[in-house]
């Protein structure tokens, strides 16, 4: 594997030799102290990585990877999964230190990383049986089949909220398809992605198949998106950055997959078990410190239960343990950076100035004097014109609005530029089905919020992007389909009346 990188030190984890001379950026832990350095890659580093990827695909006529069997590639994916499982305690701790999420959540993420590699190993093996699949034609003088080929060199740009997992959602299917990949993780949380590079090296992944570049968006991400020898870009992040990537990719007419922001609704009807619905509402917004693109951060609750529901939300939120993410029982750690911390607090202040009520939270917990900690925040008396209702916060902030009728609830839910996730909670399954069909979103949860499985498609509509990750849809992102048609008759074609 070619990695243009330098390993970072973090609380006792040994740094590895650098393979780059890039200038270093600083990593900060939950106390805001620096825990290590990573390089800021440049366009020159992007060129090196692209050349390495191109070389890897062509090596031995492609037989080492691109044109090898899916079963051959699956062996590497399963070896990566096994090594991730073996190193789970170390990886989870690194993720919690670098990202700020509770250690338990980080450990579950690592399980999902291993599971995603295993699942895509299965898809790689199944791909062999789909090769040369015949196509029925209306003329018996021709035969037709399709070949599924890797799309080529792919650029993968990933966020900081699920550093290793979001990278895996792209890397695993790209490798399963036979592509060579260049990963540019978020500069705010790159450590476990670098560890993934070391794991790929340990299992003997052919050199150049996975390349990792750490650095800033303008200096590393932009050159990757616009590089003429990169065949596809897959991006997860903000809608604003997604628009820029789409523009850059358009210059070379290369395909893109975009999983962007969200402002997802959770609609709660009056026939529910309130305690269960409150639990799902809190989980749907405050999981991963509220830093989830699909967070159901707009609660739309029936007016007849709204008062009781809000009171229970506040009561439960007060009992959420906010602490050092490595501390046992932590359920809310710090947000990822000082910039994100200030941004979230500004959202809360703007909501207050616009007339909303801060029912709970919206400030630093009194028992934590350092670190970027914010109490779980519940904002009521919200109108649809307020910034807090319309814009993605990406932090532990829930806004609340009530409704009278099913039609009004659907209208409120769809009143957004985004269309990633959505949830409906009701004991009336016919109603749930109606609401599900009416939601303008790529993902709908019924009587729950946020479950995600490697087997099921993930992606959105409107400004939440397009394309799907995970499941068979995720693999298709990295495949090109080639039609092969053969004339099988012994007769001359007889074109234009010309005889032989």
């Amino acid at each position: 594997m070619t990695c243009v990188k330098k390993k970072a030190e973090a609380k006792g984890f040994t740094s590895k030799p650098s393979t780059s001379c890039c200038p270093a950026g600083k990593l900060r832990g939950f106390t805001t102290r620096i825990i290590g350095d990573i390089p800021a890659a440049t366009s020159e580093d992007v060129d090196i990585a692209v050349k390495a990827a191109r070389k890897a695909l062509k090596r031995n006529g492609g037989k080492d990877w691109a044109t090898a069997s899916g079963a051959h590639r699956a062996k590497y994916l399963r070896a990566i999964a096994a090594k991730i499982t073996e190193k789970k305690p170390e990886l989870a701790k690194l993720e919690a230190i670098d990202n700020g999420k509770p250690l338990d959540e980080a450990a579950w993420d690592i399980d999902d990383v291993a599971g995603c590699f295993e699942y895509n190993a299965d898809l790689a093996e199944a791909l062999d049986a789909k090769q040369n699949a015949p196509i029925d034609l209306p003329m018996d003088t021709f035969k037709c089949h399709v070949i599924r080929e890797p799309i080529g060199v792919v650029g993968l740009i990933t966020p900081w909220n699920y550093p290793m997992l979001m990278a895996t959602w792209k890397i695993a299917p790209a490798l399963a398809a036979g592509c060579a990949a260049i990963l540019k993780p978020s500069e705010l949380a790159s450590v476990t992605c670098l560890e993934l590079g070391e794991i790929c090296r340990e299992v003997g992944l052919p050199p150049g198949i996975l390349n990792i570049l750490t650095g800033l968006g303008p200096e590393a991400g932009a050159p990757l998106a616009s590089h003429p020898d990169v065949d596809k870009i897959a991006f997860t992040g903000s809608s604003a950055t997604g628009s820029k990537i789409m523009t850059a990719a358009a210059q070379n007419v290369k395909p893109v997959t975009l999983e962007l922001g969200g402002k997802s609704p959770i609609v709660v009807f009056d026939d529910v078990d309130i305690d269960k619905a409150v639990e799902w509402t809190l989980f749907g917004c405050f999981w991963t410190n509220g830093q989830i693109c699909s967070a159901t951060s707009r609660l739309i609750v029936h007016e007849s239960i709204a008062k009781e529901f809000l009171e229970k939300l506040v009561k439960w939120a007060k009992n959420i343990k906010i602490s050092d993410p490595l501390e046992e029982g932590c359920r809310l750690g710090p947000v990822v950076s000082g910039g994100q911390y200030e941004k979230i607090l500004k959202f809360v202040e703007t909501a207050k100035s616009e007339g909303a009520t801060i029912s709970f939270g919206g400030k630093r917990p009194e028992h934590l004097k350092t670190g970027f900690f914010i109490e779980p925040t519940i904002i009521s008396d919200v109108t649809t014109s307020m910034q807090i209702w319309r814009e993605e916060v990406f932090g532990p902030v829930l806004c609340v609005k009530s409704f009278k009728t099913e039609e009004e609830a659907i209208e409120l839910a769809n009143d957004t530029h985004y269309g990633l996730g959505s949830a409906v909670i009701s004991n009336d399954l016919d109603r749930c089905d109606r609401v599900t069909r009416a939601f303008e979103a790529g993902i709908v949860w019924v009587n729950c919020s946020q479950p995600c499985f490697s087997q099921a498609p993930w992606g959105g509509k409107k400004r939440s992007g397009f394309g799907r990750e995970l499941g068979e849809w995720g693999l298709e992102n990295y495949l090109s389909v080639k039609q092969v048609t053969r004339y099988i008759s012994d007769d001359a074609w007889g074109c234009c009346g010309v005889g032989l």
Side-chain angles (χ1 to χ4, degrees), residues 391-439:
E391 296 185 22
E392 183 177 37
V393 177
F394 224 70
V397 179
L398 176 71
C399 55
V400 184
K401 187 166 179 55
S402 63
F403 71 92
K404 293 181 180 180
T405 67
E406 181 178 316
E407 292 74 19
E408 182 188 4
I410 291 169
E411 183 178 351
L412 287 169
N414 290 336
D415 182 27
T416 173
H417 295 303
Y418 297 105
L420 183 55
S422 55
V424 55
I425 300 184
S426 171
N427 287 328
D428 184 340
L429 295 185
D430 288 335
R431 172 192 281 157
C432 289
D433 186 61
R434 290 193 302 271
V435 173
T436 291
R437 293 176 184 276
F439 277 154

Side-chain angles (χ1 to χ4, degrees), residues 2-38:
T2 301
C3 291
V4 184
K5 66 185 182 66
K6 175 181 175 184
K7 295 304 296 297
E9 285 190 320
K11 291 193 176 180
F13 292 97
T14 306
S15 87
K16 307 292 193 303
S18 170
T19 61
S20 171
C21 296
C22 300
K26 299 298 183 183
L27 300 172
R28 295 180 181 272
F30 73 91
T31 62
T32 74
R33 294 197 310 269
I34 293 172
I35 61 172
D37 297 333
I38 57 173

Side-chain angles (χ1 to χ4, degrees), residues 49-55 57 150-155 179-182 211 224 229-233:
V50 173
K51 288 176 182 176
R54 282 278 167 209
K55 182 179 179 181
L57 286 183
I151 203 166
V153 173
V154 295
C179 294
I182 301 163
N211 308 269
L224 182 61
D229 289 329
V230 172
D231 299 301
K232 176 189 171 66
I233 294 291

Side-chain angles (χ1 to χ4, degrees), residues 4 23 38-42 184-188 190 213-221:
V4 184
I38 57 173
T42 65
K184 208 298 281 184
S186 169
E187 67 276 12
L188 296 178
S190 301
L213 297 165
T214 59
L216 303 172
E219 287 79 23

